Amino acid sequence: MNFKYVGFVILAIALVLIYIFINPSEVDFLPKCPFYFTTGLYCPGCGSQRATHQLLNFNFKGVIAQNILFVVCIFILIYHITITVLNTYFKKNYFNYLNHAKTGWIVLIFILVFWISRNIPCYPFELLAPK
Amino acid sequence: MEQIRPKNYLVESILVTMCCCQPLGIVGIVFASQVNSRYNAGDYNGALQASKDAKKWIYWGFGIGLVFMLLLFAFYAAMFFLGINQGLFNEF
């Protein structure tokens, strides 16, 4: 057993506990988004910490309200880990669609459109902004 | 000649964009996309170069995000101890 992995596990457990019991919208000391801090505009990741808090408390409506793209991001992560584990440890040969030539560009377009639209301060776009 | 596909860092750059709140992660996504485009076009060296660039931008984005968060944390810690010194918490 490597000490590095023990450290990582302890750090992960500590982070999970922090985000379960502390609501980032009620306290000051958790890190703020550097982009929001400097420009006052929302970045594509704004609301991720609040969304993490809501996710760990199983409040899925809250996750969607804070950051819709965060949900997509989690699904991409789960997909990637599943495929990688299957291919590496179970000797399967599934094609990972994240390696497709168009995936990256589609993700890029989605993030840019999301970034712009959540900064528009009128009704249908306001729903995308973090609360 | 069949070369192995360079690592494309797409997942890592999405994570940096979403979780470290870094516009630098967007640049990472651009390079990550180029890895696959170039590899499929048969440009192996270009793909390798794009992979290296993506890695570089992701590391910088992650590093800057981390440093910023630590600085902010240090700032709040300093404010907190300043408050204790000035007796702001004495009444509790």
Side-chain angles (χ1 to χ4, degrees):
Chain A
M1 196 66 175
N2 199 329
F3 278 112
K4 209 168 82 179
Y5 292 116
V6 179
F8 271 126
V9 169
I10 291 174
L11 192 69
I13 292 175
L15 278 179
V16 166
L17 286 178
I18 285 177
Y19 281 115
I20 283 182
F21 292 113
I22 297 176
N23 188 348
S25 43
E26 287 164 5
V27 293
D28 273 344
F29 60 84
L30 284 172
K32 307 261 181 311
C33 171
F35 188 75
Y36 182 71
F37 191 79
T38 44
T39 61
L41 295 170
Y42 299 120
C43 78
C46 280
S48 292
Q49 286 189 82
R50 283 159 278 176
T52 312
H53 171 74
Q54 304 291 353
L55 183 71
L56 291 172
N57 284 294
F58 302 108
N59 178 8
F60 298 108
K61 235 176 171 175
V63 182
I64 294 174
Q66 297 295 351
N67 194 337
I68 281 188
L69 215 57
F70 185 71
V71 184
V72 183
C73 179
I74 288 173
F75 278 119
I76 291 180
L77 191 64
I78 292 173
Y79 172 79
H80 180 70
I81 290 174
T82 315
I83 295 274
T84 312
V85 167
L86 281 179
N87 284 353
T88 316
Y89 295 106
F90 294 95
K91 304 276 178 284
K92 297 282 195 320
N93 201 12
Y94 295 120
F95 180 67
N96 189 342
Y97 275 93
L98 293 171
N99 287 339
H100 193 275
K102 294 216 169 61
T103 313
W105 300 112
I106 294 172
V107 167
L108 181 68
I109 290 168
F110 260 95
I111 289 185
L112 287 180
V113 168
F114 181 70
W115 189 359
I116 292 168
S117 53
R118 74 187 320 201
N119 279 300
I120 301 174
C122 60
Y123 166 65
F125 303 110
E126 266 178 356
L127 299 174
L128 297 173
K131 308 292 177 296
Chain B
M1 182 171 63
E2 189 65 24
Q3 304 262 32
I4 53 162
R5 180 193 295 274
K7 186 168 163 48
N8 67 7
Y9 294 102
L10 186 60
V11 173
E12 287 87 344
S13 40
I14 293 174
L15 280 180
V16 167
T17 313
M18 296 300 291
C19 298
C20 298
C21 305
Q22 276 297 321
L24 292 184
I26 302 266
V27 188
I29 295 180
V30 173
F31 282 116
S33 315
Q34 283 181 358
V35 174
N36 289 329
S37 300
R38 288 182 183 170
Y39 179 80
N40 283 14
D43 179 9
Y44 179 74
N45 289 328
L48 202 64
Q49 186 58 43
S51 174
K52 279 180 189 160
D53 285 338
K55 188 178 176 184
K56 193 175 72 188
W57 283 97
I58 291 162
Y59 272 60
W60 275 104
F62 186 70
I64 291 175
L66 206 65
V67 166
F68 193 90
M69 286 170 186
L70 288 179
L71 279 181
L72 210 66
F73 193 76
F75 175 74
Y76 279 114
M79 287 290 124
F80 186 65
F81 285 114
L82 206 66
I84 288 181
N85 276 344
Q86 294 185 341
L88 279 183
F89 300 107
N90 285 355
E91 56 206 74
F92 296 118

